[in-house]
Amino acid sequence: MNQVYIQPNEWSILEEGFDAEMVKSSESLFSIGNGAMGQRANFEEEYTGPTFQGSYIAGVYYPDKTRVGWWKNGYPEYFAKVLNAPNWIGINVLINDEKLDLHTCKEVLNFKRELNMQEGWLSRSFEAVLQNDIKIKVDTKRFLSLDLDEIGAINYSITPLSNDVNITYIPYLDAGITNEDTNWDDQFWDVLQVSQDNHQSFIEARTMKTHFYTCTFMESKIFIGPNEIITNCVNEQSNNYTANKYQQEIKKDQTYSIHKFGGYVVDRNHHKDELVAAAKTALDKAVSLGFDALLAKQKEAWAKIWSMSDITIEGDVKAQQGIRFNIFQLNQTYLGTDASLNIGPKGFTGEKYGGSTYWDTEAYCIPFYMATKDQSVARTLLEYRYNHLEKAIENAEKLGFKNGAALYPMVTMNGEECHNEWEITFEEIHRNGAIAFAIYNYHRFTEDYTYIPEKGLEVLIGIARFWHQRVNFSTDKDKFVMLGVTGPNEYENNINNNFYTNYIAKWCIEYALENIDIVKNDHISDYIRIKEKVNITDEELASWKNVADNMYFPFSEKHNVYLQQDGFLDKELITVADLDQSQRPINQKWSWDRILRSPYIKQADTLQGFYMFEDHFSTEELERHFDFYEPFTVHESSLSPCVHSIQAAKLDRMEQAYTFYLRTSRLDLDDYNHEVEEGLHITSMAGTWMSIVEGFGGMRVVDNSLSFSPKIPKGWDSYSFKVNFRQQVITVNVSQKGTQFELEGTKEINILVNGEQVTVSPK
Amino acid sequence: MNQVYIQPNEWSILEEGFDAEMVKSSESLFSIGNGAMGQRANFEEEYTGPTFQGSYIAGVYYPDKTRVGWWKNGYPEYFAKVLNAPNWIGINVLINDEKLDLHTCKEVLNFKRELNMQEGWLSRSFEAVLQNDIKIKVDTKRFLSLDLDEIGAINYSITPLSNDVNITYIPYLDAGITNEDTNWDDQFWDVLQVSQDNHQSFIEARTMKTHFYTCTFMESKIFIGPNEIITNCVNEQSNNYTANKYQQEIKKDQTYSIHKFGGYVVDRNHHKDELVAAAKTALDKAVSLGFDALLAKQKEAWAKIWSMSDITIEGDVKAQQGIRFNIFQLNQTYLGTDASLNIGPKGFTGEKYGGSTYWDTEAYCIPFYMATKDQSVARTLLEYRYNHLEKAIENAEKLGFKNGAALYPMVTMNGEECHNEWEITFEEIHRNGAIAFAIYNYHRFTEDYTYIPEKGLEVLIGIARFWHQRVNFSTDKDKFVMLGVTGPNEYENNINNNFYTNYIAKWCIEYALENIDIVKNDHISDYIRIKEKVNITDEELASWKNVADNMYFPFSEKHNVYLQQDGFLDKELITVADLDQSQRPINQKWSWDRILRSPYIKQADTLQGFYMFEDHFSTEELERHFDFYEPFTVHESSLSPCVHSIQAAKLDRMEQAYTFYLRTSRLDLDDYNHEVEEGLHITSMAGTWMSIVEGFGGMRVVDNSLSFSPKIPKGWDSYSFKVNFRQQVITVNVSQKGTQFELEGTKEINILVNGEQVTVSPK
């Protein structure tokens, strides 16, 4: 465990005491978001110490010119960057003309920060002794409204403790921001207009190249004690900045507060010429409600989210805090209301990775959103890929594929690939399989078949075509082989016959064939439309089938396991346990060739296949493969521990399952990988949810009904979670004594518990 | 064939007619150099059309900050750039106040350019009609002196053809230059001082970071007709520029000339504080000799080079021009006098690739320099690597190797690696083998063993240690395997058990063991010194031997060939002949994954091993492997055709050998790869020499004597070459009727001709 400064608490993330070393980590951990925007937990007042300023708007990105050592044909021309947006949270503070700055003041006392996950707000309080020896107390609270998702609100209060003082609040908007993560130190924003109107301020700005129009706005209210005061303010303005100055003599122990309302309106939701008007409307609504009423609505909105998605754990406060942090961050990142958005791997907490959408969405996030939201949310995520099908076909064409073959990008914002390492961009193609699998998973869970004839089948056909062309026939092996791929284990590049990739390719083709048949028989008008559009013939389908029937899978008779790839047994098979600990993490200690030559596995690869296609393999087979591969797995991807936790639980290895669970659920809180300051690992948080629900709870969908095999870690008294299964919500409560199921709704439901049929009636 | 504008001529490269489209290509093709400096054939007068300005000083480079998409541990922090140096050739010309500029003038007539390879100069002549309707004739001649290698000289003459005119010459020095090839648009030079002294001008400049101190200088003389005139000149100067203005009324048909002398002095040869003084000395010497006397010396110097290195071809002027162009460029690039220099792949003709030294030097260039120069030149090239041994050990340490293992860099200026693609930097490790092979080759050719105990053995030990650690034991194969390499065929990356790499690794270990034994027995004091320094033990040597004895080589029983790497037979084995021509060159048409999956071979790989270790394999084996691999070879590396030409000749396939020969010898002249404007392929030119001497001439060293198996292409009347073998020069003249040998020197020599012993006596 690498950091321990976060205080254990069931509902909050708490920091006590000010440590400048931890500022950037805390800025990540205390990030807030509302699906439409989000920001790192930067201080409102100026801070001249090391900080990573970040405020982000969903869907607003920039195509940064690609930086690459050696260009290869087919590389994308840009790398989409999550874009640091104009800062609206800033409030500079002067105390008798001295700027409040925790980096330069004489002393910071009683510093506390709380991210209240139950109610969805961030607060901070401290006492500061300034260079002028004045001592003040500061209390702030901030949230991004779920109700008015263009609005954020701040309550910033100062109480002089030592003297009567003159306090100046300077709330401002600043569009002179840059990205931490730029390739060429470019400016990304054109500021179009800075304006003020009746105490409201606006900066209209447009992203360069992508031309997203935005308006950043603010309005402030001033209070002494509980009473709003009407005060004159002085305006300051430049070509990318606007500020107001509110100056006031404040007596010792009196509290001087500013309520600042701000946020963004964007042209995804409004006409670009009406952004200032839209901003006024949003501001007027927020200001007329006022900070406290808006906060009350925030608590209600979060209560509603928690009522469906909360997981409780009794008897292990760190585990409880961990799972809630994961669920909270997922909900801060993506709420499923906009089909053009997706779940970025860093959410609104940082800029690393760029792009927004990885295969993480399909492989890890969809189960969480299916089970904790209305099923329309998962369907929206599927449609995101349907909407990108043409781009995926273009992407495949760039790589030489034909006839409507689709290769979905490794990383994307708008359907175009924006990643450029050849071994990933061109070779980590298993991502295509996850996109097909998500369609299957959605249908399995929701029983909603309509998506497939309406949209999904076209995606399945494009993907099947890709696999069909991507293999070649090996006369040597008398089988179809797949050369030159990178599997989920990115510590192998350009390998041949990766078991997982070959397996999912075969499955994709078979699943596409199966659904072509169903649609042909049961959705004839859709079938005619699709057949005309994509021009499938019986010969083509026969050729697909030939590939699926004759796919090669490397297998070791000696070890009785499928091999992760051709030649795996040539490696020096020293387990992780026998590896010198000083060499870890190997991705920070070893050169790339050494990693590639080694047997070490970054994340579940063969075992990822056993997870996704669990019912294709016996438990004995799983055990054999788990015992063969896990000892070589270094889990240096955030997506690794959750799959292993689920499989360990299935194999009744609860201690190991629990260890993996802790690692996934507290990855960021405890900063296992020494990088939390760059932002949080949002998508792997859905894997944490799976570790409890699918791992400990053993939830599956079997023969069209929910099935559970509940287990519980030794140290827990009990845990509970809810699942929204086909419009019915079932609560599962597992304790050391047994499992209880509760059902909301009106009709009873049949489930399987440890293989036995059980009927649950509404409570 | 892609361009045909170069006129065939035995001794010159000729261009007739001005074509702005060809300016950049010609700037490469007509480049001049003298081993110490060189420059592209840029015009002296201003040219505002597309041009690639380049002037380079041997050994003066810049560590440009590496640009890479995704950083990997062990990547070098910089990429050494051949550095564009201050321009000293510039002479702006005003005709009645109109600037002479071939891009903007009304008409260019009778444009001719000649690179005279026999005498080592570049000339240009043309008539131009200016916008002011004045017609002038221009004649220029330029060379870089071999005698005074800090000096270049230009004779620039103008004859007004239509009117009496006012002509102004403005010779200048300009340090405000940049590289075409910069990663970050950085400036690379700090200009320290611009000064003038008595008609001599100087710019002292220092490279940033590397701190090479240089002084660029010039002095000019003015002539009307044959007579020097003393004229006033006006000086112009800025912080990185200095110029003189010589203005003169010139009558129609009178010739007005400027002789400009310029060049560089550098702190490799002079103290950095004495560079201006050194420049003065060089200038005084050159100016006192004058242009014509300096040119006469140039002709003599080149005659001396040609007397040893010329290859004549009768009956095929394009083949003759090709081979002389290759020999000329090699001699322009490297003369073997300075152990800190090496043979850059683009010489002084461009900036691409950066760095100066690749494995090309050992694998392709050393045979040429051994046979056409004094053997000290080849030894100097070996010493270059000895001097970098410590850096090679450090380089290996960065990648996790221990105990003095040495990995020579893929690309270097000073011994440090400066390339960053993981599949090359970390995996194209066969380069290490070529460095050991060059030591073997040198000893085989020269019989000079002294290099090995003095220096070479330490290199051999470092290399053997690297291979010993780079393999691992495969329990599955019960052999040592080498995983994760890139062979000479860079169209395969991260492959296992590349035949060539495994073979040379085994050979390196065995050769090191053999020489340790020899040195131990015959050079005991060297042995003691080395043993103390590198600490070899009997156990270590036994462990090496175990690896060499048990190295794995992939082999196909079915095809009876060694496989290029594991899994080669899984590919779709469609030959190049059956590949759609529109798909070629595949490196411009295909994405990288497609190239990697394909069977196509960029350059000799398995066959490179058969070339280097020819006596380990029978001719039948060679034929079988040639027939298996050549049909999959696309020869998209400049280093490929020569090896194939030699092997085709050995297999009596003279038509194929000739086709390969033309491709290698006229690669740049005919611009096969559409890229000559970026510079010439200098190192592969040595391969062209090998194609004739080792291919057609069949020259080898067998049992300590020279051996020949002369063959001749159908269309040639005869060809001849010379070989400097152990201080004796033998001339081989092959005609359709037979072969004649001539010997310079005093004692007779025994050679093998088609396997028969022949004694050649001095003529």
Side-chain angles (χ1 to χ4, degrees), chain A residues 67 69-70 72-73 184 419 421-423 470 472 474 477 493-494 570 587-588 590 592 597, chain B residues 67 69-70 72-73 184 419 421-423 470 472 474 477 493-494 570 587-588 590 592 596-597:
Chain A
R67 170 183 297 178
W70 297 80
K72 300 230 188 307
N73 292 322
W184 308 89
H419 186 98
E421 286 179 296
W422 63 264
E423 61 273 21
R470 186 53 163 77
N472 67 271
S474 163
K477 293 202 161 70
N493 293 157
N494 195 43
D570 276 343
N587 67 7
Q588 289 173 24
W590 284 6
W592 194 243
R597 279 182 279 140
Chain B
R67 171 184 296 178
W70 297 81
K72 301 231 190 305
N73 292 322
W184 308 90
H419 186 97
E421 287 180 296
W422 63 263
E423 62 273 21
R470 186 55 162 75
N472 67 271
S474 163
K477 292 202 162 68
N493 293 156
N494 194 42
D570 275 343
N587 67 6
Q588 288 174 24
W590 284 7
W592 194 242
L596 293 176
R597 278 181 279 140

Side-chain angles (χ1 to χ4, degrees), chain A residues 67-70 72-73 79 183-184 398-401 419-423 426-427 470 472-474 476-477 481 483-484 493-494 497 566 569-572 586-594 596-597, chain B residues 67-70 72-73 79 183-184 398-401 419-423 426-427 470 472-474 476-477 481 483-484 493-494 497 566 569-572 586-594 596-597:
Chain A
R67 170 183 297 178
V68 66
W70 297 80
K72 300 230 188 307
N73 292 322
F79 189 86
N183 284 345
W184 308 89
K398 276 186 203 160
L399 306 190
F401 296 89
H419 186 98
N420 50 24
E421 286 179 296
W422 63 264
E423 61 273 21
F426 303 151
E427 297 204 338
R470 186 53 163 77
N472 67 271
F473 190 74
S474 163
D476 199 53
K477 293 202 161 70
V481 293
L483 307 181
N493 293 157
N494 195 43
N497 294 310
D566 283 352
L569 293 179
D570 276 343
K571 291 167 180 281
E572 198 165 26
I586 61 171
N587 67 7
Q588 289 173 24
K589 303 293 173 68
W590 284 6
S591 66
W592 194 243
D593 62 307
R594 199 168 170 199
L596 293 175
R597 279 182 279 140
Chain B
R67 171 184 296 178
V68 67
W70 297 81
K72 301 231 190 305
N73 292 322
F79 188 87
N183 284 346
W184 308 90
K398 277 186 201 159
L399 306 189
F401 297 88
H419 186 97
N420 50 25
E421 287 180 296
W422 63 263
E423 62 273 21
F426 303 151
E427 295 205 340
R470 186 55 162 75
N472 67 271
F473 190 74
S474 163
D476 198 52
K477 292 202 162 68
V481 294
L483 306 181
N493 293 156
N494 194 42
N497 294 311
D566 283 352
L569 292 179
D570 275 343
K571 290 167 180 282
E572 198 165 26
I586 60 171
N587 67 6
Q588 288 174 24
K589 302 294 173 69
W590 284 7
S591 65
W592 194 242
D593 62 307
R594 201 169 169 197
L596 293 176
R597 278 181 279 140

Side-chain angles (χ1 to χ4, degrees), chain A residues 197-378:
Chain A
D197 181 11
N198 201 15
H199 295 287
Q200 297 181 336
S201 304
F202 309 95
I203 295 184
E204 291 166 87
R206 185 183 62 182
T207 58
M208 293 182 183
K209 295 193 194 169
T210 36
H211 289 192
F212 293 111
Y213 286 79
T214 65
C215 176
T216 309
F217 53 82
M218 68 168 178
E219 180 173 352
S220 303
K221 297 282 174 187
I222 301 295
F223 297 80
I224 296 181
N227 306 314
E228 184 179 349
I229 57 168
I230 306 306
T231 171
N232 282 336
C233 75
V234 180
N235 298 337
E236 272 180 19
Q237 195 161 314
S238 77
N239 61 353
N240 59 15
Y241 177 89
T242 178
N244 301 313
K245 266 193 179 175
Y246 300 93
Q247 194 168 354
Q248 196 74 30
E249 297 293 330
I250 300 294
K251 299 216 178 311
K252 179 165 176 294
D253 297 329
Q254 224 178 17
T255 298
Y256 182 53
S257 307
I258 177 168
H259 293 183
K260 179 176 181 182
F261 302 88
Y264 308 106
V265 288
V266 296
D267 64 349
R268 201 173 65 249
N269 303 318
H270 305 279
H271 190 281
K272 71 181 168 66
D273 298 333
E274 290 161 10
L275 289 178
V276 170
K280 274 179 195 291
T281 306
L283 266 182
D284 288 347
K285 201 161 171 183
V287 171
S288 72
L289 277 167
F291 185 89
D292 294 334
L294 209 54
L295 180 59
K297 279 172 168 286
Q298 180 80 344
K299 294 177 189 176
E300 280 170 37
W302 272 103
K304 202 170 154 201
I305 290 172
W306 285 116
S307 78
M308 190 57 237
S309 63
D310 190 24
I311 291 180
T312 66
I313 297 173
E314 305 272 331
D316 187 342
V317 65
K318 291 190 98 172
Q320 174 68 78
Q321 187 180 37
I323 187 64
R324 285 204 173 119
F325 185 66
N326 285 257
I327 295 167
F328 180 69
Q329 292 294 352
L330 283 162
N331 277 289
Q332 289 208 118
T333 302
Y334 182 76
L335 290 160
T337 46
D338 187 333
S340 71
L341 301 180
N342 209 288
I343 308 144
K346 294 243 163 270
F348 300 112
T349 72
E351 294 156 19
K352 206 186 163 189
Y353 300 130
S356 86
T357 313
Y358 288 63
W359 70 295
D360 303 25
T361 293
E362 282 76 15
Y364 296 90
C365 298
I366 278 190
F368 168 78
Y369 284 101
M370 281 200 299
T372 67
K373 304 273 179 208
D374 185 82
Q375 71 184 43
S376 64
V377 172

Side-chain angles (χ1 to χ4, degrees), chain B residues 202-338:
Chain B
F202 309 94
I203 296 185
E204 292 165 88
R206 185 183 62 183
T207 58
M208 294 183 183
K209 295 192 194 172
T210 36
H211 290 191
F212 293 112
Y213 286 79
T214 65
C215 176
T216 310
F217 53 81
M218 66 168 179
E219 179 172 354
S220 303
K221 296 282 173 189
I222 301 295
F223 297 81
I224 296 180
N227 305 315
E228 184 179 349
I229 59 168
I230 306 305
T231 171
N232 281 335
C233 75
V234 179
N235 298 337
E236 274 180 19
Q237 195 162 314
S238 76
N239 60 354
N240 59 15
Y241 176 90
T242 178
N244 301 315
K245 265 192 182 177
Y246 299 93
Q247 195 168 352
Q248 198 72 30
E249 297 294 329
I250 300 294
K251 298 217 180 307
K252 181 165 175 292
D253 297 329
Q254 223 178 16
T255 297
Y256 182 52
S257 307
I258 177 169
H259 293 184
K260 180 177 181 182
F261 302 88
Y264 309 106
V265 287
V266 296
D267 64 349
R268 201 174 63 251
N269 303 318
H270 306 279
H271 191 279
K272 71 181 170 65
D273 298 332
E274 289 160 11
L275 289 178
V276 170
K280 274 180 196 290
T281 306
L283 266 181
D284 289 345
K285 200 160 175 185
V287 170
S288 71
L289 277 167
F291 186 87
D292 294 335
L294 210 53
L295 179 60
K297 280 174 168 282
Q298 179 80 345
K299 294 176 190 177
E300 280 170 37
W302 272 103
K304 201 169 153 203
I305 289 173
W306 286 115
S307 77
M308 190 55 237
S309 62
D310 191 24
I311 292 181
T312 66
I313 298 173
E314 305 273 330
D316 186 342
V317 65
K318 291 190 96 170
Q320 174 69 80
Q321 186 179 38
I323 187 61
R324 284 205 173 118
F325 184 66
N326 286 259
I327 296 167
F328 180 69
Q329 291 295 352
L330 283 163
N331 276 291
Q332 290 208 117
T333 303
Y334 182 76
L335 291 160
T337 47
D338 186 333

Side-chain angles (χ1 to χ4, degrees), chain A residues 461 464-465 467-469 471 473 479-480 502 505-514 516-517 536-553:
Chain A
I461 290 170
R465 282 176 161 166
W467 292 122
H468 173 246
Q469 291 173 41
V471 298
F473 190 74
K479 289 276 182 187
F480 288 94
N502 285 20
K506 174 186 163 79
W507 176 86
C508 284
I509 292 174
E510 289 170 343
Y511 186 62
L513 286 169
E514 185 186 320
I516 289 170
D517 248 15
I536 37 174
T537 64
D538 289 347
E539 293 71 36
E540 184 183 357
L541 302 188
S543 178
W544 291 8
K545 186 165 185 311
N546 186 34
V547 165
D549 289 348
N550 294 288
M551 185 74 84
Y552 173 74
F553 298 100

